[in-house]
Amino acid sequence: MLDYRSIEQRLSSELGLTRRPIAIAFGDTPPAGVAKFEGSVPSGCSFWRLASEGRTFFTVPSDRYNCPIGSYTHNMPLPAERSNELEETLGFMANLGYVRMDEVPGIPGSRRRPASSCMRRSATRRWTPTS
């Protein structure tokens, strides 16, 4: 059996991490014994912070809709009524100089396989992917 605590300590030490490493898995069904994320966050990256604080949970595509970029990169299309948000966000980022519009086709997302219905995140709990 793997010693996940030692792996965490080694990763943190050798990579100079200031936050705990997390694990993410994609699956088509909710993982047994793991709670669904409840609430709302401003971005998909917020889930990484929550997991690094020790929370274990799973999310569904709609949990990511507040972040058009994250929805795109995870191939979780926004609902029709919010579909304009990706273009608006990319335009805003381009106006700030954060990204150039000619770089957009190279952003990973559209080439990814369709997203699974559940994403499982964990800080220290041992688990296996659900698919």
Side-chain angles (χ1 to χ4, degrees), residues 13-108:
S13 175
E14 292 187 17
L15 297 175
L17 302 178
T18 58
R19 294 186 183 245
R20 296 176 74 182
I22 65 168
I24 300 173
F26 296 87
D28 293 324
T29 60
V34 176
K36 182 189 177 306
F37 174 78
E38 296 294 331
S40 178
V41 295
S43 68
C45 298
S46 299
F47 295 121
W48 303 346
R49 178 184 46 80
L50 295 172
S52 74
E53 292 171 355
R55 291 184 57 185
T56 299
F57 53 91
F58 74 91
T59 63
V60 295
S62 60
D63 291 327
R64 306 186 68 82
Y65 291 165
N66 286 338
C67 181
I69 302 295
S71 293
Y72 174 77
T73 60
H74 286 84
N75 200 6
M76 296 177 184
L78 294 170
E81 67 274 9
R82 296 184 72 173
S83 63
N84 63 321
E85 293 179 26
L86 176 62
E87 188 173 328
E88 290 173 359
T89 301
L90 288 169
F92 176 73
M93 293 171 73
N95 286 336
L96 291 174
Y98 186 78
V99 68
R100 293 187 324 266
M101 290 308 278
D102 64 333
E103 296 174 314
V104 172
I107 296 173

